Amino acid sequence: MPTLFTRILTGELPARFVWRDDTCAAFLTINPLAPGHVLVVPIVEIDHWIDLPPDVAAHLWRVSQSIGQAQQQAFSPVKVAVLVVGEEVPHCHIHLVPYHELSQIDFANADRAPSSDSLDEAADTLRVSLRSAGHAEVTD
């Protein structure tokens, strides 16, 4: 049975994508810890990050770094946090969270009902930043 993320990647479920290439995709989470909270997900359905093929893992980190740089420019956070937890969906994913206060890096504080407008605005802001950095992989 495909994971929730595979269903998003295949278009069965909607998402606010900001990046897509042959190896991975990145989209906003529906339960953000902060505006602009993105998940970077490999196309290949692998549960644990330690089981990723080395080339896929390296690619995910390169994409995460590019997106993190765009988040830094777009949202002016203190830093962009990187979290790899994986309990909620059995499909490897990297959380990139542009935070202003360390308390934002706590899943207990996730916004369980963000407005569509706030998610759309965060996705648009991040896409602009990624495009201005020259990334052709940006999606709408």
Side-chain angles (χ1 to χ4, degrees), residues 18-136:
V18 297
W19 184 286
R20 180 129 195 171
D21 61 34
D22 292 339
T23 304
C24 70
F27 48 87
L28 270 69
T29 178
I30 59 169
N31 297 126
L33 298 177
H37 179 170
V38 169
L39 303 177
V40 179
V41 180
I43 303 299
V44 62
E45 194 173 286
I46 294 176
D47 180 15
H48 201 316
W49 69 270
I50 64 173
D51 296 325
L52 289 170
D55 60 325
V56 173
H59 183 77
L60 291 177
W61 287 111
R62 282 191 302 273
V63 169
S64 294
Q65 186 175 33
S66 293
I67 292 171
Q69 290 166 344
Q71 288 170 311
Q72 189 72 42
Q73 190 267 334
F75 299 103
S76 300
V78 171
K79 289 192 176 183
V80 176
V82 176
L83 304 162
V84 181
V85 183
E87 284 298 311
E88 60 280 355
V89 178
H91 189 143
C92 177
H93 54 288
I94 299 170
H95 293 261
L96 302 175
V97 184
Y99 70 92
H100 295 277
E101 296 179 19
L102 196 54
S103 62
Q104 290 177 284
I105 310 304
D106 183 343
F107 286 104
N109 296 331
D111 186 347
R112 301 287 178 214
S115 73
S116 289
D117 288 345
S118 69
L119 292 173
D120 289 340
E121 182 180 338
D124 289 341
T125 299
L126 187 51
R127 287 182 196 116
V128 166
S129 183
L130 284 164
R131 284 187 185 109
S132 72
H135 296 290

Side-chain angles (χ1 to χ4, degrees), residues 5-13 17 20:
F5 291 156
T6 296
R7 294 175 65 202
I8 289 170
L9 294 169
T10 61
E12 182 182 340
L13 295 174
F17 286 91
R20 180 129 195 171

